[in-house]
Amino acid sequence: MPTPARQRPAVHLVQLPLPAIDALARGDLETANRHSPVALTRHFSVDRLAVWKIRSLQLAAAPDDAGWVTGALIDGASGQAVGCAGFHGPPDAVGMVELGYSVDPVFRRSGYARAALELLLARAAGEPDVRTVRATISPDNEASRHLVLQYGFEENGSQWDEEDGPEIIFEVAAGNQSAQHQ
């Protein structure tokens, strides 16, 4: 008898205000939580420090990017922050957005990465200026590679990232992804 499919968690994103992002960029979780509309976990300040440094500088230079960049991934049932997700910024000149997501290790293997990916893909599909969605994944991150392939992403080269090292580039046309295995 087949095992019943596990219910995918409902999630939404909460945009963090700039003072919270700036505090996270400094590794100051206590101050970040004073400015955040949701309680943030250690994962936000320790595991994702490089992301917040980049987003802090980005938003200082381009405040209008705030609606696109990384926010807190919230479990719809509990209201708890389970990770972070978003785009690296608004669509570029050719309509490409790069997405990113990270689930707090405490909450991994519970469907949150898939839920975050689906949320971001739906946002991209609903934006008329977005043509291509990109994900860059470390060659040793089999779980993320396996996940994006299920949504029609195709390998499209590789790159060296100053923070993350070697990455494989995956892309899919916006609005042209559907899970092949759920």
Side-chain angles (χ1 to χ4, degrees), residues 15-16 27 42 51 56 64 100 105 134 147 175:
Q15 186 59 49
L16 299 175
R42 183 177 183 275
V51 168
S56 177
D64 290 345
R134 173 178 285 179
L147 180 60

Side-chain angles (χ1 to χ4, degrees), residues 31-53:
T31 300
N33 271 317
R34 281 201 306 270
H35 293 285
S36 175
V38 297
L40 306 174
T41 65
R42 183 177 183 275
H43 176 69
F44 283 81
S45 65
V46 175
D47 299 342
R48 308 307 299 160
L49 185 62
V51 168
W52 300 118
K53 286 180 179 181

